[in-house]
Amino acid sequence: MTDWKNEIRAAIRSHGIRYVRFLWCDNAGLIRAKAVHTAFLEDYLEGAGVGIAAAQQAVPVMVDALASGSGLTPAGEVHMRADWSTFTLLPYAPGHARVLTDIHEGEAPWPHCPRSFLRRMIEWAGQHGWQIRAAFENEFYLLRREGDRVVPADSTVFAQTAALDVLAPMLEELSSALEAQGIVPEMIYAESGPGQFEMPIRYAEALRAADNQIIFRETVRAVARRHGLIASFVPKIFPDKAGNGAHLHFSLWQGDQNRTADPRRPEALSLEAQTFIAGILHHLPALMVFTTPSPNSYKRIRPRFWSGAFTCWGYGNREAAVRVPQPPAGRPITHVELKTVDPSCNPYLALGAMIAAGLDGLEQGLDPGEPVQVDPADLSEQERATRGIRPLPASLGEAIAALEEDEALLQALGPELARSYLAVRRAEWEAMKDLPHEEEVQILLERY
Ligand code: GLU
Ligand code: MG
């Protein structure tokens, strides 16, 4: 059997890799890295970690200052430990490779580490006999600088073929860079905003799905830059244009059996999948602090924008927060989509918290109610109330208030992560809630 360490050594030697980027995604949803020189590779292969300040998990998106009340102080060091199974060369950055990391405090996973949190939730699901597979379905804008303005890279509309032609070289390089990193793009097409694209990728086991989201965001941003473009995943860049979602598709498995569909009626959801989505819908207002974490996120969540603005589910219903995609005739349902998610999220926290909400639904045997097969915005308030359909939080402030009351989610997170994460969310909300839209977008545009 080839030793994995030898494979990494050989890849580094033969490709002249000078730096390996150690990546983590923080409580602000920012992807950060420290790149280590390969002259010291042996230490890292033996498990040495890369130090970062513990307080790094208390830094909000807009400033380099600590959020108050995070429980973290400038004193204290934690270490990123490479998960060498995620090692890849970076096709867009010759001489650089990358690994994803878990943050440790001493020998143990650090309670504030988002990737370790997702691992815990996967383990919890495993204790119930379940494995989750998932994929984030990203939308993003390609933009160009014109003087001090930023404008869409094209003026196409949904699925207009011209978009594929105009940006062909960039899209070609993007696809090949993703493939080189083990990510299979399933499709690419113009989304409804000018310069907006959607690129669904193949699903994977939960931890890998969150890793894929990091790799995807990194790769899109970097390849766009090589073509003189800015790629942005900010949820709502242009107030009157479509927002960027990152709908979270997931399925429930037992071993190699997909248990999302009802075995006797494969066009319907299994009972377990129904209780799982009941948990998601029950916790959704609080869950949004993870899935739509930016103050900007709430500008995207609006009725009639297909972004999932009400707590309901439906078959093929693009206005329901939870949509069950309808398969081609004669095929079983394969998975479920949560629409109330955008790409400013930390994917480990978003997916981990969604699993926690779903498992709570399973444990309590919750009922999601009847599927909703109309646009919930067309129902009267009275009808919605009778059917248990609630509008979702209209701001990050409201979602934070919901999370503060949500014992199950807070407990899943653990006291340390709950505290540091909420401190960062509150700091961003306070700093940005009254900002004019343009100023907010200017801060966020190249962070996400
Ligand atoms: N752009 C929409 C959103 O903000 C989604 C459109 C679609 O259904 O793909 O989520
Ligand atoms: Mg879309």
Side-chain angles (χ1 to χ4, degrees):
M1 204 175 72
T2 330
D3 180 346
W4 62 268
K5 288 182 191 168
N6 279 339
E7 282 182 14
I8 288 171
R9 288 183 190 110
I12 284 177
R13 241 191 340 264
S14 62
H15 291 89
I17 300 298
R18 184 165 280 119
Y19 285 104
V20 180
R21 299 180 187 180
F22 276 52
L23 255 69
W24 83 102
C25 185
D26 69 8
N27 274 338
L30 248 83
I31 302 169
R32 301 180 188 257
K34 281 190 175 179
V36 304
H37 198 288
T38 47
F40 309 102
L41 179 72
E42 288 308 315
D43 277 354
Y44 298 115
L45 282 179
E46 291 311 320
V50 174
I52 51 171
Q56 204 54 65
Q57 273 301 68
V59 178
V61 70
M62 64 286 161
V63 282
D64 238 356
L66 304 188
S68 65
S70 69
L72 295 166
T73 69
E77 183 94 348
V78 288
H79 289 86
M80 287 185 272
R81 287 243 189 115
D83 176 346
W84 286 106
S85 72
T86 66
F87 176 84
T88 45
L89 308 177
L90 293 181
Y92 51 80
H96 281 225
R98 173 195 48 227
V99 283
L100 296 163
T101 68
D102 296 292
I103 309 176
H104 278 64
E105 187 178 33
E107 282 309 309
W110 189 38
H112 298 268
C113 168
R115 196 165 185 263
S116 307
F117 164 68
L118 176 56
R119 284 184 188 276
R120 289 205 304 278
M121 295 304 105
I122 291 170
E123 206 181 298
W124 182 22
Q127 286 161 7
H128 284 75
W130 293 102
Q131 293 85 46
I132 315 293
R133 298 189 187 177
F136 289 85
E137 177 198 333
N138 285 285
E139 295 171 333
F140 55 89
Y141 273 81
L142 293 176
L143 307 159
R144 223 186 275 290
R145 279 206 187 282
E146 258 183 31
D148 50 7
R149 280 178 354 120
V150 171
V151 298
D154 68 30
S155 55
T156 57
V157 292
F158 176 72
Q160 195 180 334
T161 50
L164 300 177
D165 299 333
V166 176
L167 294 163
M170 187 267 161
L171 300 175
E172 182 55 28
E173 186 178 333
L174 175 57
S175 305
S176 113
L178 290 170
E179 285 165 34
Q181 297 171 88
I183 293 184
V184 185
E186 288 196 355
M187 280 188 224
I188 177 127
Y189 47 90
E191 252 299 351
S192 44
Q196 192 188 27
F197 284 83
E198 172 162 322
M199 203 172 184
I201 60 168
R202 193 67 179 163
Y203 65 84
E205 162 284 311
L207 186 64
R208 173 72 201 192
D211 289 344
N212 282 350
Q213 176 64 356
I214 301 291
I215 298 169
F216 187 89
R217 276 173 54 188
E218 284 287 283
T219 305
V220 173
R221 184 186 53 76
V223 173
R225 184 163 297 159
R226 283 163 65 89
H227 290 259
L229 299 169
I230 298 169
S232 184
F233 290 88
V234 168
K236 197 77 172 179
I237 302 174
F238 304 108
D240 56 338
K241 302 276 189 293
N244 284 326
H247 305 166
L248 184 41
H249 293 252
F250 63 94
S251 47
L252 302 180
W253 293 71
Q254 283 178 326
D256 58 2
Q257 297 291 312
N258 187 343
R259 301 283 186 205
T260 312
D262 182 340
R264 279 162 320 217
R265 283 198 322 131
E267 71 288 359
L269 278 190
S270 65
L271 190 61
E272 292 86 354
Q274 289 199 32
T275 52
F276 195 89
I277 65 169
I280 293 175
L281 291 172
H282 175 73
H283 290 287
L284 193 51
L287 182 58
M288 286 173 71
V289 182
F290 305 95
T291 58
T292 53
S294 170
N296 176 279
S297 298
Y298 294 78
K299 298 176 180 170
R300 166 183 161 257
I301 306 292
R302 280 199 299 193
R304 306 200 204 284
F305 272 82
W306 294 10
S307 57
F310 292 93
T311 61
C312 61
W313 71 289
Y315 291 101
N317 188 345
R318 285 190 158 73
E319 282 292 340
V322 171
R323 173 178 77 110
V324 184
Q326 286 163 312
R331 301 272 186 93
I333 282 169
T334 53
H335 68 283
V336 176
E337 172 193 53
L338 175 61
K339 285 183 157 292
T340 319
V341 185
D342 72 54
S344 69
C345 72
N346 176 317
Y348 303 103
L349 297 179
L351 183 50
M354 189 198 80
I355 293 174
L359 290 177
D360 190 47
L362 272 171
E363 282 187 350
Q364 294 194 53
L366 295 181
D367 176 0
E370 289 301 310
V372 171
Q373 297 307 125
V374 295
D375 183 346
D378 285 341
L379 300 174
S380 69
E381 232 168 89
Q382 172 83 55
E383 279 172 304
R384 282 199 293 267
T386 323
R387 300 176 70 165
I389 303 173
R390 294 169 289 159
L392 287 167
S395 69
L396 178 59
E398 284 181 34
I400 289 172
L403 179 58
E404 285 167 345
E405 300 296 315
D406 194 315
E407 283 305 322
L409 285 188
L410 292 176
Q411 210 182 332
L413 232 59
E416 294 91 346
L417 182 54
R419 188 168 172 195
S420 63
Y421 186 66
L422 269 166
V424 171
R425 294 294 103 231
R426 288 191 195 104
E428 291 188 11
W429 169 239
E430 285 306 323
M432 289 193 265
K433 64 181 181 195
D434 298 323
L435 270 193
H437 183 76
E438 292 70 40
E439 280 178 48
E440 180 192 58
V441 169
Q442 211 175 343
I443 294 170
L444 301 179
L445 194 73
E446 293 188 69
R447 300 265 157 100
Y448 298 126

